[in-house]
Amino acid sequence: MRSIILVILSCAVLAALPTGAHAGRIFGDISFGGKPVAAGVKIKVNRPGSNAVDDTTVTDKFGSFKLTVKEEGKAMLTVLYEGKPLDLAVFSNKEAARYDLVVEKKDGKLTVRRK
């Protein structure tokens, strides 16, 4: 009887502990010149002012990506395109957020913006 109560209490405590509920997903597609970027473009996301990276990934053959941000709020998404880091402020929340991005070349300089 005591072991059953202990198991029930343990389950209740574990259910009450915070989990990844504060984490948010960021996903989308990246294009350049109206076409998807090549597979393997590196992307990372981290909190502003922090060197710790929350998540990294690479694009698939359709230019798509998926990242997980540990906490809700503002984050910095970095796309490493042609060896150059392109930064964009993003926001994560409990719901998944779609960020379709466009890499552009203006005055010989690469930039990234939301579509």
Side-chain angles (χ1 to χ4, degrees):
M1 178 72 174
R2 184 172 181 219
S3 62
I4 293 174
I5 293 173
L6 185 60
V7 168
I8 293 172
L9 287 175
S10 297
C11 290
V13 168
L14 289 175
L17 291 174
T19 61
H22 294 290
R25 302 266 311 157
I26 293 178
F27 69 99
D29 303 315
I30 304 175
S31 63
F32 179 75
K35 297 179 182 175
V37 297
V41 172
K42 294 180 183 179
I43 304 164
K44 70 177 182 175
V45 65
N46 63 306
R47 307 296 299 162
S50 170
N51 290 334
V53 176
D54 277 0
D55 196 9
T56 61
T57 191
V58 294
T59 55
D60 64 12
K61 65 182 179 179
F62 304 108
S64 299
F65 66 94
K66 294 177 188 168
L67 294 163
T68 301
V69 182
K70 293 179 184 176
E71 296 178 19
E72 291 183 48
K74 188 174 182 179
M76 188 61 64
L77 184 132
T78 303
V79 177
L80 190 63
Y81 191 76
E82 293 182 355
K84 298 189 180 359
L86 309 173
D87 294 327
L88 180 70
V90 295
F91 296 88
S92 69
N93 55 42
K94 292 178 186 176
E95 304 290 325
R98 182 174 191 101
Y99 279 86
D100 289 330
L101 307 176
V102 177
V103 175
E104 298 174 317
K105 195 171 230 180
K106 291 184 181 178
D107 301 326
K109 185 177 178 181
L110 288 171
T111 60
V112 65
R113 67 172 174 84
R114 197 167 182 184
K115 189 173 184 182

